[in-house]
Amino acid sequence: MTGTSTPTRRPTRILADLTPLRSSADYRRLWIGGTISWVGQAMTALAISLQVYDITRSSFAVGLVGLFTLVPLVAFGLYGGAIADTVDRRKLGLYSSVGLTALSLVLAAAALLSFHRVWLLYTIVALQAVCGALAGPARSAMIPRLLPAEQLPAANALNSVTMTSGTMVGPMLGGLVVGWAGYQAAYLIDAVTFCASLYAMWRLPAMLPDREGGKQGRASVLDGLRFLGTRPNVRMTFFSDLAAMVLAQPKALFPAIAGLWYGGDARTVGLLVAAPAVGALLGGLFSGWQGRIQRHGLAILLSVASWGLAIAVFGLTRNLWLGLFFLALAGWSDTISMVFRSTMMQSATPDEMRGRLQGVFIVVVAGGPRLGDFLAGTVADLASPAVAITGGGLACVLVLALLALRWPGFARYDARSPQA
């Protein structure tokens, strides 16, 4: 037949969509710099834990590292978001990266001078958390200014690859570097890796928040919370994540179940911890299909439900490899949820509010899993690890269903006409 053209169907993309890296040089530099520096930060995190144990020979002292990180991160998360909605986000990200670089240099200098003091290490990790709480909202709020809305899911998938690969590769390299050349080498490498992030931030254009009607003045944390209270779809992204992280978070029980269920040891614990990260990394690498999804709310509900069901089934397994499979499946589901939650928050929120909502996001991401660890440990002591894990997974699905019934518009959210 002549005179008739048949539309060509685009093949379904499987691997991660690299369009954001090709279309925006600013985003490409930011992503590369963030990926390199994230590996360095993970190296330093492990080196600090090793050094604290080397000084004190106390697991409790090592556990306090997490506390000294969590408290400033939560306390400054909301405040950092308000600052990001007030000042030039490029400068905020740049100054925060300079601060992190300086802290790594202080760690290296102390190690070189054999100044081994636990209080110094605790102080450094707390200051690192403050810098991270200031940089995170600014960095996230930049992305919608660098890319068109249709590329945000791909960009957030690439960001998940950055975080997951850094979390996996950084500790491995950190252990090798500390073993070969000492703590100072790991800290110096971390400082050097920040050069990539500093360069990326330096090359960015100025990014003052877009204020409605050109209004000026300091952004209020309370205004951000009030805004969130009037936006049920954005609010649901936080509720759904809390349902997963608080009710179905089995990580604290891995040391116990490694021996009880699988007759394993510390290496088994390592496999259990690594499995969700491997799944999350694969979810980011094979994320090309996500750009075709428009019903982001429904995608979040399905992925969080998949997390809960995977954790529930994991609680019933007594075969190690089958258990690792379901943990990896949970990690994969978590990445899908994260991509669409981040995209919804970026696209359905006005620019002047993005920093503050990212601050809320930091508080949820940092605090939710810690509450989940406490809840899982409590239920496991009162009942059993199986009840804590399987019951938590099922509770996650139940609470998610109740949330979806309470706010039915969330499942109908369409990225082509984003409504917060």
Side-chain angles (χ1 to χ4, degrees):
M1 183 182 299
T2 60
T4 302
S5 61
T6 302
T8 302
R9 175 177 293 182
R10 295 174 58 188
T12 301
R13 186 187 296 270
I14 298 176
L15 294 176
D17 185 357
L18 303 182
T19 302
L21 298 177
R22 292 192 294 263
S23 64
S24 171
D26 287 327
Y27 175 77
R28 182 169 62 250
R29 285 189 292 266
L30 196 65
W31 184 83
I32 293 173
T35 301
I36 295 172
S37 62
W38 193 267
V39 172
Q41 287 180 280
M43 288 178 59
T44 288
L46 179 75
I48 288 175
S49 295
L50 292 173
Q51 191 174 7
V52 168
Y53 186 77
D54 193 24
I55 296 170
T56 65
R57 295 296 170 182
S58 168
S59 296
F60 175 76
V62 176
L64 286 179
V65 172
L67 182 63
F68 277 96
T69 301
L70 175 63
V71 172
L73 197 60
V74 172
F76 282 85
L78 295 176
Y79 185 64
I83 294 176
D85 285 339
T86 303
V87 303
D88 184 346
R89 290 161 179 164
R90 168 190 171 271
K91 290 183 178 179
L92 180 59
L94 183 62
Y95 295 156
S96 300
S97 296
V98 169
L100 289 167
T101 305
L103 291 170
S104 294
L105 290 174
V106 171
L107 286 170
L112 284 168
L113 296 173
S114 298
F115 188 78
H116 304 304
R117 301 291 187 275
V118 173
W119 65 263
L120 175 64
L121 298 176
Y122 288 157
T123 302
I124 293 295
V125 297
L127 292 174
Q128 286 176 331
V130 172
C131 290
L134 296 175
R139 184 185 181 90
S140 179
M142 291 176 188
I143 296 177
R145 299 276 290 272
L146 300 176
L147 297 169
E150 63 271 16
Q151 292 182 20
L152 291 179
N156 287 313
L158 290 170
N159 291 341
S160 75
V161 173
T162 292
M163 293 183 290
T164 308
S165 60
T167 302
M168 292 175 63
V169 175
M172 179 181 65
L173 291 178
L176 292 174
V177 170
V178 169
W180 287 340
Y183 300 113
Q184 63 273 12
Y187 300 143
L188 283 172
I189 291 174
D190 184 20
V192 171
T193 62
F194 271 114
C195 292
S197 181
L198 290 171
Y199 176 73
M201 291 286 182
W202 181 264
R203 291 291 304 274
L204 288 173
M207 288 199 182
L208 286 166
D210 288 336
R211 295 295 186 87
E212 185 179 350
K215 294 183 294 183
Q216 300 298 322
R218 179 166 295 279
S220 166
V221 173
L222 290 178
D223 284 345
L225 294 176
R226 292 190 190 100
F227 172 83
L228 184 60
T230 63
R231 299 300 190 271
N233 286 332
V234 176
R235 197 165 61 243
M236 266 289 288
T237 65
F238 297 119
F239 288 162
S240 61
D241 189 48
L242 285 172
M245 294 297 101
V246 175
L247 298 174
Q249 179 58 263
K251 187 176 180 180
L253 304 182
F254 287 167
I257 65 177
L260 290 174
W261 293 1
Y262 307 118
D265 52 18
R267 290 171 294 183
T268 307
V269 177
L271 290 174
L272 294 172
V273 172
V278 171
L281 179 60
L282 292 174
L285 293 176
F286 294 92
S287 59
W289 58 273
Q290 294 175 18
R292 303 171 66 91
I293 305 299
Q294 304 297 336
R295 298 281 295 279
H296 289 185
L298 182 60
I300 293 170
L301 292 174
L302 292 176
S303 57
V304 174
S306 297
W307 164 278
L309 290 174
I311 294 299
V313 176
F314 166 71
L316 300 174
T317 62
R318 296 300 180 268
N319 177 276
L320 177 60
W321 297 110
L322 189 60
L324 294 175
F325 168 78
F326 282 106
L327 286 176
L329 181 61
W332 187 305
S333 302
D334 186 46
T335 290
I336 296 172
S337 168
M338 186 279 295
V339 167
F340 288 117
R341 283 185 291 110
S342 297
T343 301
M344 184 181 293
M345 186 171 61
Q346 291 166 342
S347 59
T349 303
D351 185 71
E352 64 179 286
M353 288 289 178
R354 284 178 181 144
R356 277 166 283 186
L357 291 196
Q358 182 63 25
V360 177
F361 180 82
I362 288 176
V363 172
V364 169
V365 169
R370 274 69 180 186
L371 290 175
D373 289 342
F374 174 76
L375 179 62
T378 301
V379 175
D381 281 348
L382 293 175
S384 70
V387 171
I389 295 174
T390 298
L394 295 177
C396 167
V397 176
L398 176 60
V399 169
L400 189 69
L402 293 175
L403 290 171
L405 290 174
R406 173 62 180 83
W407 289 285
F410 184 70
R412 297 192 295 269
Y413 176 93
D414 193 320
R416 289 166 293 195
S417 56
Q419 298 293 323

